[in-house]
Amino acid sequence: MGREEQVAPAEKVRSERREGVVVVTIDNPPTAALSGDVRAGVLTALDAAQADDVIKAIVITGSDKIFATGAGLQDTGNENVPSLADLCDRIEASNKPVVVAIAGSALGGGLEVALAAHVRVATP
C-alpha cells in the first residue's frame, strides 16, 4: 500500500500511514521536548487515526535517538495548547492500540507518554 505523510506545526510531528498503522514521529531537536506545538501535533495525529476506519493501530516514536523529554515549561498555563495530562489521557483512552517505540531517552513527560500507551517497546 502507498504511504501518506502529514506534517504538524513547524514539522515537529510527522504522521505516516503504513498499511493500517499510523506512525507518529516526534522530531523536536535537540532534546525532543514535548512543547505545546508537539503535544498539539500528536493529538492531531491521534484524532485523525481515531476517525479513520482503515487505521487499526497507532505507533508513536521519536527521532535522533531520543523518544521524548519533558513538556515545555513556557507553555504552562496556556489554554491554547493541550497539557501533558490531556495528551496522556487521550493516549490511554484510545479505542485503537497505541504502541510507543522508544529508542534512546524517554525522560520526564516522555516517560509519562510512554506509560500512557497500551504497549511499549524499546531498544537496549
Side-chain angles (χ1 to χ4, degrees):
M1 288 211 117
R3 292 182 177 181
E4 276 180 49
E5 189 169 342
Q6 295 177 334
V7 179
E11 298 184 10
K12 294 179 182 180
V13 177
R14 292 186 313 275
S15 178
E16 184 178 353
R17 296 167 55 112
R18 299 182 187 175
E19 298 181 22
V21 175
V22 168
V23 178
V24 179
T25 304
I26 299 167
D27 188 8
N28 189 17
T31 62
L34 291 169
S35 58
D37 53 347
V38 170
R39 295 190 307 268
V42 174
L43 280 176
T44 297
L46 287 172
D47 288 345
Q50 294 292 341
D52 189 337
D53 291 337
V54 173
I55 300 302
K56 302 300 179 203
I58 302 157
V59 174
I60 302 173
T61 191
S63 64
D64 268 351
K65 299 180 183 173
I66 298 176
F67 170 65
T69 62
L73 294 178
Q74 69 276 13
D75 299 322
T76 304
N78 184 344
E79 295 178 12
N80 296 323
V81 297
S83 70
L84 180 61
D86 292 337
L87 175 59
C88 291
D89 288 346
R90 296 276 285 285
I91 290 169
E92 189 174 6
S94 173
N95 62 358
K96 297 180 182 186
V98 177
V99 177
V100 171
I102 303 167
S105 301
L107 304 172
L111 180 59
E112 291 181 48
V113 167
L115 292 173
H118 304 122
V119 177
R120 288 156 293 286
V121 294
T123 60

